[in-house]
Amino acid sequence: MTTDQPHANAMLDEAWDLSPAVALRPEPFGAMAYHFGNREPHLPQAQRLVDVVRGLSGHPDVRGALEAAGIRELTGPATSPPCRGLPPPT
């Protein structure tokens, strides 16, 4: 898995999980993610992104969740529309 972005490289080795404040509901186009705190729905339309998010808790790092979802090459996750603006986990 490769990327040109230092922050993205660091993210790959971090353990992430879906926030308890977020529900992920299956939809024909992928899923609907709903944040109960700010009441904002998000519609990730790439099934592989949904698979990665669902798999985060089952892997020691983001890299493992990506690989389990069949993503071997990474070409800029920190700048892709679904990931833009996501803060690093706390």
Side-chain angles (χ1 to χ4, degrees):
M1 196 167 301
T2 60
T3 181
D4 297 332
Q5 302 168 354
H7 178 68
N9 275 332
M11 286 182 359
L12 292 174
D13 297 323
E14 295 174 352
W16 283 33
D17 198 356
L18 185 63
S19 169
V22 175
L24 197 57
R25 184 178 81 192
E27 294 289 344
F29 52 79
M32 182 180 85
Y34 183 80
H35 191 285
F36 293 102
N38 63 18
R39 297 185 176 177
E40 281 191 37
H42 296 276
L43 305 171
Q45 295 183 3
Q47 185 59 49
R48 286 178 36 173
L49 176 60
V50 174
D51 294 343
V52 169
V53 171
R54 285 197 175 116
L56 286 171
S57 65
H59 298 280
D61 53 29
V62 174
R63 185 183 317 274
L66 288 165
E67 290 176 355
I71 300 171
R72 303 282 182 243
E73 287 294 317
L74 201 56
T75 58
T79 60
S80 66
C83 299
R84 190 174 299 132
L86 289 177
T90 55

